[in-house]
Amino acid sequence: QLQLVESGGGLVQPGGSLRLSCTASGSTLDNYEFAWFRQAPGKEREGLSCIGLGRYRTHYIDSVKGRFTISRDNAKKTVFLQMNNLKPEDTGVYFCAASRDPFQPVCTAELRERRYDTWGQGTQVTVSS
């Protein structure tokens, strides 16, 4: 069974960068699609980005387009979220999620939380001066 562990969070100043990692175990990644979600203080969890089976099929919400980049390395069993030009509103707990569906894409522009059935424990990102 697939298990996910996020890492790479921390405290960063506005304008800074962080790279989050989501390391998988228990299965190969070949058939899984992945997403990153964020839960800001006092807010519901929202989808930020996802990546399909082909590394070039990605989606982003508007607020992170041009600043965040999702990628995957199946050989290393790791999915990354490179975050640049961070803003205070990027503060929150970041979750990695995964799922597989042989009939239709999991990674879509809607970034629906319910499409993902495996979750990590989250990593805290705080953007503050």
Side-chain angles (χ1 to χ4, degrees):
Q1 185 173 349
L2 188 71
Q3 294 179 319
L4 305 175
V5 177
E6 302 94 336
S7 61
L11 174 64
V12 63
Q13 291 186 343
S17 298
L18 282 175
R19 188 174 80 155
L20 304 184
S21 298
C22 172
T23 303
S25 62
S27 177
T28 61
L29 301 194
D30 295 1
N31 296 322
Y32 283 90
E33 301 180 53
F34 291 85
W36 285 95
F37 288 76
R38 174 176 69 203
Q39 187 161 23
K43 295 186 178 181
E44 293 187 354
R45 191 157 57 185
E46 64 174 343
L48 302 177
S49 179
C50 65
I51 186 165
L53 298 179
R55 67 178 67 183
Y56 299 110
R57 184 162 64 84
T58 59
H59 294 286
Y60 299 89
I61 60 169
D62 287 344
S63 63
V64 307
K65 281 181 181 177
R67 299 190 299 123
F68 291 11
T69 303
I70 191 171
S71 60
R72 62 189 293 164
D73 186 332
N74 287 356
K76 294 183 178 179
K77 291 190 173 183
T78 304
V79 177
F80 302 98
L81 186 68
Q82 177 67 43
M83 306 187 295
N84 299 327
N85 190 23
L86 283 161
K87 304 175 181 180
E89 53 263 41
D90 293 318
T91 294
V93 180
Y94 284 67
F95 296 89
C96 176
S99 194
R100 56 183 175 179
D101 188 332
F103 303 110
Q104 58 183 327
V106 177
C107 173
T108 64
E110 290 75 24
L111 287 159
R112 292 194 178 104
E113 186 173 332
R114 61 181 173 83
R115 291 288 286 136
Y116 297 88
D117 56 19
T118 301
W119 293 78
Q121 83 290 348
T123 185
Q124 176 70 43
V125 172
T126 303
V127 184
S128 175
S129 55

